[in-house]
Amino acid sequence: MAGLNGDPILGIDDKIENLQYNNNNNSNEAIDKEGLVGIGEESSTCYKNNQGGEKDMAGNSIHRSGSRPQLDLSKAEIQGNSEERDPTILLPNQSDDISHLALDIGGSLIKLVYFSRHEDQSVEDKRKKTVKERLGITNGNRRSYPVLGGRLHFVKFETSKLNECLDFISSKQLHCGRIDSHLWNSEPPANENAVIKATGGGAYKFADLFKERLGVSIEKEDEMDCLVAGANFLLKAIRHEAFTHMEGHKEFVQIDHNDLFPYLLVNVGSGVSIIKVDGDGKFQRVSGTNVGGGTYWGLGRLLTKCNSFDELLELSQRGDNRTIDMLVGDIYGGMDYSKIGLSASTIASSFGKAISDKKELEDYRPEDISLSLLRMISYNIGQISYLNALRFGLKRIFFGGFFIRGHAYTMDTISFAVQFWSKGEAQAMFLRHEGFLGALGAFMSYQKHGLDDLMVHHLVERFPMGAPYTGGRIHGPPLGDLNEKISWMEKFVQKGTEITAPVPMAPPGTTGLGGFEVPSSRGATLRSDASALNIGVLHLVPTLEVFPLLANPKMYEPNTIDLSDHKELEYWFTVLSEHSPDLVDKAVASEGGTDDAKRRGDAFARAFSAHLARLMEEPAAYGKLGLANLLELREECLREFQFHDAYRSIKQRENEASLAVLPDLLLELDHMDEEARLLTLIEGVLAANIFDWGSRACVDLYHKGTIIEIYRMSRNKMQRPWRVDDFDLFKERMLGSDGKKPKPHKRALLFVDNSGADVVLGMLPLARELLRRGTEVVLVANSLPALNDVTAMELPDIVAEAAKHCDVLRRAAEAGGLLVDAMTNTEDGSKGNSSSVPLMVVENGCGSPCIDLRQVSSELAAAAKCADLVILEGMGRSLHTNFNARFKCEALKLAMVKNQRLAEKLIQGKIYDCVCRYEPAPAS
């Protein structure tokens, strides 16, 4: 097939010549075990019958082992207020013995997928129980079961270091149904019937070794079955799993899981298998070719004397195929062959110049040979794949296999081939987790694996230091012990090495912990693995739901700021970097300034800086990147180094100061007429939103006065019109016009932001006004701390203190179950009753300054079902995210803009401008 080298098809090496891409995995797992695989060969279709069993085309049952216990997610729910982002989950129908481990043992790499759990005690206080009863959330019949939180881990080892893999499995007791940290390195109980699912050639080759070392049997699973099952799961469950790659640019593609099938899966191993996938358990191998990764490696080794696949790929990145390939211009005197649409730079014949050049093999540069060979094979794989897609009328083609492995040149050439031959009608797509397709499929071959019912909103991917690359050098898991992790990082800092994530891994020679990588110093050029994508840990949170009031969940995009603009990305990286020292100071101070806290603070700073360096090199390394993702990454990194609430003492101090002046504010409000009061309330929310420790400008203000002085100054500057000013529309909806009183809202969801004046002097008085009008109010707050944001765990105590000075708040709080464990007497000694509309508090399911409404807590989702007003307050929840979000009900977005660049881009304004955006309910 023809290729380009200056025009679109052949210009790829010119455009990305200076980038060194990820090419570090030695892997030659062969999918095709029969030797040569012809294009026309087909296998029988597998399908699931209506009774749930699997049969082949002849009606014979396909065996599916049930040797592992079920991970039963039915009636799962969040329990208590957890201290980490993945809430603790009660699995009421789960047996105590759960452990899933599956492997894909290839010629070069072993890929593991395993499920881990941690046990805790079920905690549900009276407040939470009352709120659940109000919202109609029931737990069903429940006995005393262990509380489980689950994660899917992706780990890889070099096959040549199989003993390291076995040590790792043994150390975590993954083969024994025991994945608990306090049992690591203890003697596992004997289990003669233990079985591990595995696929790949090593499942046969090393079965006896697994039995000898671990006492477990390997149950072999068909590679093709596993590949398809793994791909189906990823495409349905991971939001930004698929991406395109053209001329070095990645773009993530959102796949509608309801419109996934049919598609073409092209697995490029030693040979190439082309699989038409029609549904879960329904697929057929429709074609293939014996010219694949093995061809590239084999011929490349003969022609260049390279010792590894990775070395061959590295050579290609420095090559110029024009010295070997015959181009159209070579035949037509440098001219295009425009009549049939071929440019002068189109490849007419791969290696064609070797015919006429009077040169021997040693006269050609190995780099040029490697690139010419890579393009010849990649273009033909792309062409054959497209022809099969055309044959079956398919538009989606997904490529995977060890030949791909995140290598940019390979993806570019395949992508161009598909685009070239389809005239732009079809796209080549690749998968972030493609190296783990087989292992995931083997995991899902357990009869009851627990993943079938998971949806995209149930999975949260996180990136601890040490998360492996697809195709990168890093093998094995990150260090689990925090002290070892910090010590490891300190050693490299002492050597003057600038760390780039993901690190750290276990040092060489450490048995049982995996990892054999050291960080690279960052020089003038990108690292060779800079184009690779990272594989995080998938947290299974079955209680997360899509916010039911989103007008169009499929079209919803939380992020307002587009970080695909490199200048925008660089600006926000600078903002976060400059804020980091102050954040570290607060985090260390929150834990008493101890030496241990200082060590962890330094380690956090280095780790977060490493994440930013990684993302500057490759913005798509962790998936689609938005500002909300960056802010959440920072909070997760803090929690990784055990800083669970860096602003704890500051929040307490500001809450106390604000509560002290609340009675005077409420008295002032009560002496106003309702129109003046409503305006003052909105002004109060906007003015109090100035208190944001995530803003550099606001941090500077804290040095100029007390929070009350700053609040008064901010109130005095509340001059209308605001930059976005829909107050009059909102006033008309609340108060009516022409003497007509509107019907009050049934239930309002108030998404609160910061502690202190923001919630106490801003949002609580607004909530009180809604309660007085007969509207149920639900305060929605973070599940986990983030900066100085108030949490759902803290809010009841704040409300209880405020209720001591206000009958309206007291009665509503009692009705909402917030005063069960608090003083309920007001200053005049009166007792409340529960006849008031309730004031409730629910957690939002996240621990970030922003919120992605595609993943909210089940409590919030339940509360939203009867709500007809959503109020989003603060920059993170109403500007950085959700500024463009549309809802099924009325919405009010309130924020003070505390960043000049954001003000300019979003509202064409300036710092401290205000946003009051009211959106009526859409016409039904």
Side-chain angles (χ1 to χ4, degrees), residues 149-167:
R151 303 173 178 87
L152 275 180
H153 301 260
F154 299 85
V155 183
K156 56 185 175 177
F157 293 87
E158 294 175 59
T159 306
S160 61
K161 297 175 180 176
L162 175 61
N163 283 330
E164 299 285 352
C165 176
L166 295 172
D167 287 342

Side-chain angles (χ1 to χ4, degrees), residues 538-555:
L538 282 181
H539 291 237
L540 281 65
V541 191
T543 49
L544 290 179
E545 298 185 29
V546 178
F547 189 57
L549 293 178
L550 285 175
N552 189 341
K554 289 183 180 179
M555 299 299 294

Side-chain angles (χ1 to χ4, degrees), residues 22 250 405-406 469-472 529-534 614 618 620-621:
N22 175 30
K250 294 184 184 71
R405 294 189 297 158
Y469 289 118
T470 55
D529 54 3
S531 77
L533 301 173
N534 289 59
R614 173 78 177 119
E618 177 49 71

Side-chain angles (χ1 to χ4, degrees), residues 34 66 75 202 283 291 294 306 336 391 481-482 484 535 573 624 636 679 686 710 800 817 845 869 871 894 914 924:
E34 307 163 75
K75 291 186 167 56
F283 64 88
V291 180
C306 282
D336 296 338
R391 170 186 171 196
D481 180 79
L482 180 61
E484 287 183 14
I535 299 298
F573 275 21
K624 187 176 181 180
E636 288 298 335
L679 176 59
L686 295 172
I710 297 169
L869 174 63
I871 300 179
L894 301 169
C914 292
S924 56

